[in-house]
Amino acid sequence: MDHLKWTASPLRSLKERDPYLDWSEHSDWRGMRRSLGGKAPQKPAELCALVQAGEQGLTDELRKALETVAKVPLAYRAPKRTGMRWRHFTARFKFSKLALFERIAQEHGLRWELAAPFRSAREAARAAALGIYGEARDANSFLSPQPNGAPGQAKGAPQKLDAAIAVIDYGFPLLHQAFAKPRSKLSGAASTRIERVWDQGEVCRDDERWWRQPSDLGYGRELGKAQVDALLAQWDHGEDETELYKGLDLLIDYSDARRRLWQRTHGAHVADVACGAPDPASGAIDLAASAPLLFVQLPAPTAADASGSSLGVQVLDALHWCRLQMKDGAPLVVNLSYGTTACDRRGGSLIEQAMDEVLEAEPSMALVLAAGNSRDVGCVAARHVELDRDVRHVKPSRDVRLILRLAEGDRTDTFVEFWYDRPEQAELQLRVRAPGGDWSDWLKAGQQLRLNDGVAKGRPAIASLIHRAQVPLSATRSMALLALAPSGASRDDNGPFAPAGLWEVELRALGKPIEVDACLEWDEISELTPEGERTAWLEQRQSDLDESLGSFCYGQRTLVVGACRQSDGEELPYSSRSLERNQPALLAASEFSESQPGLYAAGVPDGSRFLAGGTSNAAAMVTRRLYNLLRRGYEGWSSADQADTLDRLVKNDPALHKPQR
């Protein structure tokens, strides 16, 4: 491919900048446009960011400075306890204010990372209508009519809860009987255990009867218990289940001409394992089967795109929304079975630090995370880069050459993060070769390169290599980012595209040997990624498999859960782990045996069930058991010291095990 050409581009002078922001500029914001759905504008109207302030947190001075360019949700500006200031918060600002936001961030010493923009009502309708990446049509043609009979919205703040299980996921079947209370013996009326739902990815319409605008976070839409109960009552009186979901504009397959109800979702299965009645794993009616429930639905692009689009922002907002529903000191167990794979592997990311901050501030809150399913899929390559004493005659060994197989037809960007500690008097350099192309120049920290297809001037880059000594994605480590454009077209993307095939990366160390973690942001199979072969490192070592933990799982206060088989307690080969960090803390049975590789739990239509496995099941199972333990009066929970809790959880429970290292 002689037309492919690597060229140097100036590195922005900011000392610490998100390399993903650099890539967005190199690619002409192409990935952001895809996340909006349809024929979106050439530039996103709005951006959002995950921000870390200094030790003083979000002070009045900082808040006033940000007010000139950005919106910070009320949840961060008005803490529940007097005198408390959050260090980590989210912010939204117009695209035209990006340069000003960067300047204010630099003046106030803020660290921040870019996230995908939120969508307008019209963009949300269009994206939902054709699976996120659909061509533009009249959005109004996809909006379902509102059903009659919605109860009035309650005035004032909703009542705080004494205890709850919260699930952050995608695709909750609100009418499923697994989340209902037993019917009243007197009236026979149905009633839900779902206290509140926050759908982050949609907006309230002008003619809205069911959903309401959240006040604490300022975007998305909320549904209360009274509204779900009213829907259940309509169902009892003969309303069709699918029509009720259409009225909510929820869980409908708009790519289907008949607009049928989705049959299965990740969120339905996980929520049933975590808090359904009865427990789908044991059949028991336990305390979790009667727990009050909080559901946070992630935006569809975030849930579908495993390259990590805005997940940190959405998760942090979700945690704050959940805690604000609770009384002071009330036990709250939150399940998060989503995650990404690339990170600094030291717990230094902004979202991991933000999670720790929330858990430290809320001692009665627990956050249970799935370890990830990427142990055996080729997403991590840890390499020792030996010293090159004569850089004029470089002969790289296999230890410093990595080969990435970019899959055909991948409609998402691909990201590889190269992480290393910052040794004194040492330097890491990288170079890249596209399939059939020439090597790029060697790149050191403080430089960046971009690859263009050479068809015409001004087209977006199809690849970039960005190397920064300091990045907001880690408190201590340096990072080089290799970003690749999609290798396949979606209906609203005219290219250019990165060539599928083998991409080679060479590393060399000057001054001292350097340990490098090369982490691929791995794509799960979804409507945005191809079936069959997936992007992965070509060569994997045992040490790579043993350091494959998900990117949210290196914090100090989260409870990380891997997967095992109940019949023999054996850790499953896909279950991610980190021997260096001694994680996950627990293993839970996500399948019964080799002949039944998963658990049967709720689908979307009421009464439906389907088989699914993964560490998502395992985390949900621990969420359930931890809630049961807390509601039985156990007072020993501490997110900072989980040893006693773990001992009590595994005692006499054949589904839970401590990992054998």
Side-chain angles (χ1 to χ4, degrees):
M1 298 185 180
D2 296 335
H3 59 286
L4 298 180
K5 184 179 180 181
W6 289 96
T7 58
S9 62
L11 188 64
R12 291 288 294 267
S13 60
L14 293 176
K15 182 179 179 182
E16 184 177 69
R17 194 178 199 241
D18 185 357
Y20 288 92
L21 177 56
D22 295 320
W23 166 244
S24 295
E25 294 175 340
H26 291 185
S27 59
D28 198 24
W29 299 90
R30 177 180 169 192
M32 294 292 187
R33 296 203 304 272
R34 286 197 309 276
S35 73
L36 292 172
K39 294 180 181 178
Q42 289 300 302
K43 300 291 189 295
E46 188 174 64
L47 299 174
C48 54
L50 175 56
V51 186
Q52 182 189 69
E55 293 295 333
Q56 297 301 314
L58 184 58
T59 63
D60 291 341
E61 178 186 1
L62 175 56
R63 179 178 53 80
K64 291 178 181 177
L66 288 170
E67 282 176 354
T68 62
V69 296
K71 297 177 182 177
V72 177
L74 180 64
Y76 303 100
R77 293 184 281 113
K80 192 161 62 172
R81 286 184 285 278
T82 304
M84 182 178 183
R85 299 191 185 102
W86 295 104
R87 284 195 67 197
H88 300 88
F89 54 91
T90 63
R92 302 165 61 183
F93 53 91
K94 292 181 178 179
F95 180 84
S96 59
K97 300 288 187 181
L98 173 59
L100 185 55
F101 182 83
E102 285 197 280
R103 191 183 76 188
I104 291 175
Q106 189 174 28
E107 289 174 352
H108 289 266
L110 304 181
R111 301 173 65 226
W112 68 281
E113 62 182 52
L114 182 68
F118 300 104
R119 297 171 293 165
S120 70
R122 184 168 295 272
E123 288 162 346
R126 182 172 59 217
L130 283 172
I132 304 164
Y133 284 40
E135 63 190 46
R137 296 186 188 175
D138 179 11
N140 293 321
S141 68
F142 301 120
L143 294 175
S144 301
Q146 292 277 342
N148 295 319
Q153 301 289 355
K155 295 182 179 180
Q159 185 175 0
K160 303 290 186 181
L161 304 178
D162 293 312
I165 294 175
V167 183
I168 304 170
D169 215 287
Y170 184 78
F172 297 110
L174 307 184
L175 305 183
H176 202 290
Q177 292 302 303
F179 311 117
K181 297 178 180 178
R183 287 182 178 269
S184 168
K185 293 182 179 180
L186 294 177
S187 65
S191 180
T192 186
R193 293 187 289 125
I194 302 170
E195 293 289 339
R196 267 142 246 161
V197 181
W198 180 28
D199 183 354
Q200 295 181 325
E202 306 296 340
V203 293
C204 286
R205 291 153 41 179
D206 293 339
D207 62 342
E208 188 61 64
R209 294 192 183 99
W210 295 90
W211 299 91
R212 65 187 176 197
Q213 176 78 23
S215 58
D216 293 318
L217 278 305
Y219 68 93
R221 56 183 187 171
E222 280 184 352
L223 198 68
K225 183 182 187 309
Q227 283 69 46
V228 181
D229 281 346
L231 287 163
L232 290 173
Q234 289 193 24
W235 192 11
D236 274 353
H237 286 83
E239 288 284 348
D240 181 74
E241 182 182 17
T242 299
E243 293 303 315
L244 290 173
Y245 278 111
K246 284 182 181 179
L248 289 174
D249 195 17
L250 186 72
L251 302 182
I252 299 299
D253 183 0
Y254 286 101
S255 64
D256 180 351
R258 296 173 61 183
R259 297 191 194 178
R260 284 173 288 198
L261 192 65
W262 290 352
Q263 295 302 297
R264 56 184 63 182
T265 61
H266 189 269
H269 199 276
V270 167
D272 192 19
V273 176
C275 52
D279 179 354
S282 67
I285 298 295
D286 54 5
L287 291 169
S290 60
L293 307 179
L294 300 170
F295 289 160
V296 181
Q297 177 149 301
L298 297 166
T302 299
D305 184 357
S307 62
S309 173
S310 75
L311 188 57
V313 165
Q314 310 297 166
V315 167
L316 182 58
D317 283 349
L319 292 177
H320 280 277
W321 181 84
C322 291
R323 72 172 182 83
L324 289 171
Q325 314 308 313
M326 309 302 297
K327 293 180 180 178
D328 286 342
L332 170 64
V333 185
V334 183
N335 186 95
L336 176 61
S337 290
Y338 266 91
T340 58
T341 55
C343 65
D344 77 339
R345 320 200 91 69
R346 297 291 187 274
S349 70
L350 296 188
I351 183 58
E352 287 168 314
Q353 294 181 72
M355 288 174 171
D356 284 343
E357 181 185 29
V358 173
L359 294 172
E360 183 178 9
E362 301 288 350
S364 57
M365 180 176 178
L367 176 56
V368 183
L369 303 178
N373 304 323
S374 57
R375 182 178 167 207
D376 58 353
V377 297
C379 66
V380 177
R383 296 295 182 266
H384 180 78
V385 185
E386 294 290 349
L387 182 65
D388 277 318
R389 299 190 180 278
D390 186 353
V391 298
R392 294 170 298 175
H393 300 92
V394 178
K395 295 181 179 179
S397 68
R398 287 180 57 81
D399 284 344
V400 293
R401 176 174 294 187
L402 299 171
I403 301 176
L404 181 74
R405 182 185 61 238
L406 180 61
E408 292 271 4
D410 191 339
R411 291 182 283 162
T412 65
D413 294 338
T414 294
F415 301 113
V416 183
E417 298 177 0
F418 298 89
W419 290 99
Y420 62 98
D421 293 325
R422 305 167 189 161
E424 295 183 2
Q425 299 178 339
E427 181 179 283
L428 179 71
Q429 296 185 354
L430 308 89
R431 65 175 183 172
V432 181
R433 180 162 63 186
D438 296 326
W439 284 103
S440 71
D441 293 335
W442 286 101
L443 193 75
K444 63 181 181 180
Q447 298 178 330
Q448 59 186 351
L449 296 167
R450 56 187 292 169
L451 182 65
N452 292 90
D453 63 3
V455 174
K457 291 185 178 180
R459 282 164 64 83
I462 62 173
S464 286
L465 184 59
I466 304 154
H467 194 178
R468 288 185 174 272
Q470 291 180 282
V471 292
L473 311 178
S474 174
T476 59
R477 306 191 86 190
S478 297
M479 191 258 269
L481 173 68
L482 174 62
L484 307 178
S487 61
S490 54
R491 285 175 289 182
D492 63 340
D493 191 348
N494 297 322
F497 304 107
L502 302 183
W503 288 71
E504 296 176 83
V505 182
E506 287 185 351
L507 314 171
R508 72 181 183 191
L510 308 180
K512 293 180 181 179
I514 298 176
E515 300 286 342
V516 179
D517 294 318
C519 305
L520 168 67
E521 197 64 88
W522 181 59
D523 276 332
E524 297 263 11
I525 291 295
S526 75
E527 62 263 41
L528 310 183
T529 53
E531 293 286 349
E533 184 179 85
R534 280 174 279 187
T535 299
W537 292 117
L538 204 60
E539 179 188 8
Q540 285 279 276
R541 302 175 180 177
Q542 184 60 46
S543 58
D544 301 332
L545 306 183
D546 291 336
E547 296 299 329
S548 54
L549 204 62
S551 62
F552 290 178
C553 299
Y554 291 84
Q556 301 299 313
R557 292 176 174 270
T558 51
L559 174 51
V560 181
V561 182
C564 67
R565 186 179 298 116
Q566 181 158 330
S567 59
D568 55 16
E570 182 178 343
E571 187 172 10
L572 293 169
Y574 61 75
S575 181
S576 300
R577 66 186 184 187
S578 171
L579 297 186
E580 183 178 327
R581 297 298 293 266
N582 198 29
Q583 290 283 12
L586 278 182
L587 299 177
S590 66
E591 61 182 53
F592 283 108
S593 64
E594 290 189 67
S595 61
Q596 184 180 316
L599 301 175
Y600 281 98
V604 173
D606 185 49
S608 67
R609 286 157 56 89
F610 68 99
L611 183 70
T615 58
S616 295
N617 276 350
M621 187 173 289
V622 170
T623 294
R624 184 178 204 109
R625 283 154 171 75
L626 179 55
Y627 179 84
N628 290 339
L629 180 64
L630 297 177
R631 293 301 284 162
R632 286 198 295 265
Y634 174 66
E635 297 181 351
W637 166 251
S638 168
S639 60
D641 184 2
Q642 303 172 7
D644 183 68
T645 303
L646 300 181
D647 288 340
R648 289 175 179 264
L649 285 172
V650 301
K651 187 177 181 180
N652 300 323
D653 192 331
L656 302 186
H657 303 270
K658 288 188 177 181
Q660 301 298 315
R661 305 301 184 198

